[in-house]
Amino acid sequence: MRDGCQTRLQWTIVAAAMVAPLCPAWAGPPYVSDDPQLTDYKHFEIYSFSNGTATRGDLAGASGIDFNYGAAPDLQLTATLPAGFDRPAGGKTSFGLSNIELAAKYRFLHQDSFGLDVSIFPRIFLPSGSGAVGNSAPALLLPIWVQKDWAGGWSAFGGGGCVVSPQPSQNFCIAGGVVTYQILPKLQVGTELFHQTADRAGTPASTSLGVGLRYDINETYHLLGYVRRGIQNASETDQVSWYASVLFTF
C-alpha cells in the first residue's frame, strides 16, 4: 500500500485528487515501487493480498496480510505476514511461512513546504519460517521514496534502495517509478517501470513494465490489481508477475 490526504498505499479519498490540486494521490500497492505517503494518524490500512511471479523454470508467490498503522503524523508502522509457495518446473509445489516483514516509514519532507513528499522506509525481512520457501537469512531494505502530485488527477512517485544480507551473494538494489491518473472519482490507473540488480550468483538483473489499477468501493473497501512483464532477461526473472488485494481502511 502505502496517509494524510492519504496514502501507501497509504494512501484519503481518491476523489479528492480530482478537486484538490495538491492532495496526494493514493499510491504504493499494487505497484512494486513504494511512495512516501503514510497511513493517516491513528488509522489502519490492512491489505489482504496475493502475488506471484512466473519464470521459465519456476512459479512462486505468496498470500497474506499487510498491516499498516499511522503511529504519528509523519510515522507509519508496517508488518507483513506472508504464506509462500514455490513450484519448480517439473517439481513438487512447496508451501510454508515466508519472510515476515517489519518496517517503519518516516516522512521528513512535505509538498506544501518543499515541493515534494520524501520518506525513508527501512524494512527488515526475518528469516523464513519454512525451509521450502523464502530466504533463510535475514535482510534489510534501505530505500527512499519521493512523490509529486499535480492538479487534474496526475501523480508520480518512486525511488529505490538496496537490500543487504549476511549472505553477500543476496545483496541487490532496486529502483522504480510510477505515474498514475485518476480517470474516475473511484478509479485510478497507473504504469510502472521497475529495475532490480542481480540478487544472487547466476541470476541476471531484471527490468519490467507493469500496469495497475485501484477501485474504491467506498471509504472502507478498495480493490487493487497489477500485472507486469519483464523487458530484460524476462525468461529467467519475470515472464509475468501479478498482485491482487482487498484493502480495508479505517
Side-chain angles (χ1 to χ4, degrees):
M1 66 224 7
R2 64 274 267 243
D3 284 353
C5 263
Q6 197 197 31
T7 90
R8 189 186 139 188
L9 300 205
Q10 284 107 38
W11 296 350
T12 244
I13 295 222
V14 168
M18 305 289 288
V19 297
L22 290 179
C23 176
W26 302 43
Y31 306 98
V32 185
S33 305
D34 213 319
D35 68 19
Q37 305 301 325
L38 308 174
T39 301
D40 284 339
Y41 180 40
K42 294 184 179 179
H43 285 259
F44 290 89
E45 292 178 341
I46 300 176
Y47 297 84
S48 175
F49 69 88
S50 178
N51 61 43
T53 297
T55 66
R56 180 175 55 193
D58 192 65
L59 175 64
S63 296
I65 303 294
D66 186 353
F67 297 92
N68 301 277
Y69 176 66
D74 281 314
L75 177 65
Q76 171 190 304
L77 302 180
T78 295
T80 303
L81 309 177
F85 72 90
D86 184 44
R87 188 179 70 187
K92 182 180 178 181
T93 302
S94 300
F95 299 91
L97 179 63
S98 191
N99 300 92
I100 294 174
E101 304 172 28
L102 303 175
K105 182 189 290 187
Y106 176 68
R107 180 170 54 193
F108 58 93
L109 293 173
H110 300 257
Q111 289 193 51
D112 57 2
S113 59
F114 181 71
L116 296 170
D117 287 319
V118 184
S119 292
I120 56 172
F121 196 12
R123 184 180 295 260
I124 297 172
F125 300 84
L126 301 181
S128 172
S130 168
V133 299
N135 293 319
S136 59
L140 174 65
L141 170 62
L142 298 170
I144 187 168
W145 303 109
V146 179
Q147 180 167 321
K148 177 68 176 179
D149 303 304
W150 294 274
W154 289 96
S155 182
F157 64 91
C162 293
V163 172
V164 294
S165 169
Q167 301 178 7
S169 63
Q170 294 184 4
N171 295 344
F172 62 94
C173 295
I174 60 172
V178 177
V179 176
T180 65
Y181 179 60
Q182 196 73 35
I183 61 174
L184 295 171
K186 291 188 175 183
L187 178 63
Q188 181 193 80
V189 297
T191 184
E192 176 179 40
L193 177 65
F194 185 80
H195 177 76
Q196 177 179 310
T197 64
D199 62 359
R200 65 189 65 214
T203 301
S206 64
T207 303
S208 60
L209 283 172
V211 293
L213 62 83
R214 172 177 180 142
Y215 182 76
D216 301 302
I217 299 172
N218 53 41
E219 293 186 17
T220 302
Y221 302 103
H222 318 269
L223 303 178
L224 295 84
Y226 175 78
V227 62
R228 79 175 189 267
R229 176 172 172 78
I231 57 175
Q232 177 191 19
N233 302 313
S235 62
E236 298 96 335
T237 62
D238 190 0
Q239 290 181 325
V240 63
S241 294
W242 67 92
Y243 173 96
S245 71
V246 179
L247 168 62
F248 307 89
T249 56
F250 55 94

